[in-house]
Amino acid sequence: KHTILAIMLRQLGRTLNLENCSIWMPDSQGSAIELTHELKKREIQEPVVINADNELVRTIENSSKAVVVPPDSHLGRACSHTAAIMGSTVAVRLPLLRYSHFGTDTKERTVTKYAIMVLGFPKASGQEWGSNELDIVETVADQVAVALSHAAILEDSHRIQEELLEKNMALEQVRQDAETAIQARHIFLAVMNHEMRMPLHTIRALASLLRDSDLSTEQQ
């Protein structure tokens, strides 16, 4: 997923001559969106978070089209920094599919969360967003959403394979430990059988010889 997003940022930046392009992902609680990917890195790397209840964030998530981002908005100020001072800026949502458990009706239900992609032209250029540029952004957003869902499935598949491999390795180790224990038991029994049987046979033979001899009461 990170590779897909990084390539998308570079290609959009080159194709549209962007000043900056950034991705905001929802946090695990869904209470905020956090800056996770950026075309132009800011000088000080620290968490940048915006409340998910922010009016502009809600507007972007509820629209299938690109939304203009005012420069004085929280999102606009967060995306424009010393390394990338942006002019005209728009944002578009990126659907992130999350699969839930199967219901009683045996149909798989999905819960959709949204990431947000923010794109801005250089402030000095004075360039504004036209219909062609917006069409490109919206189309790319749809295609990247599909790619991200496929990547998520692939990553889950790899994770499951790794977990199965670890479990198989653990089972193999248990089997080897069991075989080692059984072998040690056989060796122990063989050694004990030899070490105990020989002296006992010797004592028994001597006792038989003595019993058949002419012994006094005290010797017996």
Side-chain angles (χ1 to χ4, degrees), residues 86-104:
M86 296 200 298
S88 181
T89 304
V90 296
V92 64
R93 70 184 187 184
L94 294 176
L96 304 173
L97 297 182
R98 304 289 181 90
Y99 292 95
S100 64
H101 296 292
F102 283 89
T104 54

Side-chain angles (χ1 to χ4, degrees), residues 164-204:
L164 288 175
L165 180 61
E166 291 177 357
K167 291 179 180 178
N168 288 337
M169 292 176 63
L171 289 174
E172 177 63 20
Q173 185 62 46
V174 171
R175 185 187 67 80
Q176 292 180 1
D177 292 344
E179 290 181 352
T180 301
I182 292 173
Q183 185 179 8
R185 177 174 176 271
H186 289 331
I187 294 173
F188 173 77
L189 291 176
V191 171
M192 290 300 296
N193 185 48
H194 178 268
E195 297 298 332
M196 295 292 290
R197 183 172 57 184
M198 295 302 294
L200 287 174
H201 282 325
T202 302
I203 293 171
R204 181 179 179 183

Side-chain angles (χ1 to χ4, degrees), residues 2 57 67 70 73 82 98 117 132 141 188 200 204 209 220:
H2 294 291
V57 171
V67 176
S73 65
T82 54
R98 304 289 181 90
M117 178 171 60
N132 291 336
F188 173 77
L200 287 174
R204 181 179 179 183
L209 291 174
Q220 289 178 356

Side-chain angles (χ1 to χ4, degrees), residues 33-218:
I33 58 172
E34 182 178 1
L35 178 65
T36 57
H37 302 77
E38 198 167 26
L39 182 61
K40 287 189 177 180
K41 304 295 183 183
R42 53 196 69 211
E43 297 175 358
I44 301 177
Q45 296 297 318
E46 59 182 11
V48 183
V49 178
I50 297 177
N51 195 307
D53 291 329
N54 180 277
E55 183 178 355
L56 179 58
V57 171
R58 290 296 189 193
T59 301
I60 298 169
E61 291 179 344
N62 292 327
S63 175
S64 59
K65 301 293 184 180
V67 176
V68 174
V69 177
D72 59 346
S73 65
H74 194 172
L75 184 61
R77 292 194 302 271
C79 292
S80 184
H81 51 85
T82 54
I85 301 176
M86 296 200 298
S88 181
T89 304
V90 296
V92 64
R93 70 184 187 184
L94 294 176
L96 304 173
L97 297 182
R98 304 289 181 90
Y99 292 95
S100 64
H101 296 292
F102 283 89
T104 54
D105 56 357
T106 71
K107 293 181 180 179
E108 190 176 11
R109 301 188 304 275
T110 59
V111 178
T112 304
K113 293 186 177 181
Y114 294 101
I116 292 177
M117 178 171 60
V118 182
L119 313 91
F121 289 126
K123 187 174 184 179
S125 70
Q127 187 175 356
E128 297 291 335
W129 289 92
S131 58
N132 291 336
E133 290 87 354
L134 292 177
D135 287 341
I136 292 175
V137 170
E138 292 165 1
T139 301
V140 168
D142 290 338
Q143 295 300 319
V144 168
V146 173
L148 288 176
S149 66
H150 290 173
I153 294 172
L154 182 62
E155 288 180 354
D156 286 343
S157 175
H158 288 168
R159 177 181 54 79
I160 292 172
Q161 289 178 358
E162 291 174 355
E163 291 177 355
L164 288 175
L165 180 61
E166 291 177 357
K167 291 179 180 178
N168 288 337
M169 292 176 63
L171 289 174
E172 177 63 20
Q173 185 62 46
V174 171
R175 185 187 67 80
Q176 292 180 1
D177 292 344
E179 290 181 352
T180 301
I182 292 173
Q183 185 179 8
R185 177 174 176 271
H186 289 331
I187 294 173
F188 173 77
L189 291 176
V191 171
M192 290 300 296
N193 185 48
H194 178 268
E195 297 298 332
M196 295 292 290
R197 183 172 57 184
M198 295 302 294
L200 287 174
H201 282 325
T202 302
I203 293 171
R204 181 179 179 183
L206 289 174
S208 297
L209 291 174
L210 290 172
R211 189 171 58 250
D212 295 338
S213 301
D214 187 11
L215 302 176
S216 66
T217 303
E218 183 178 358

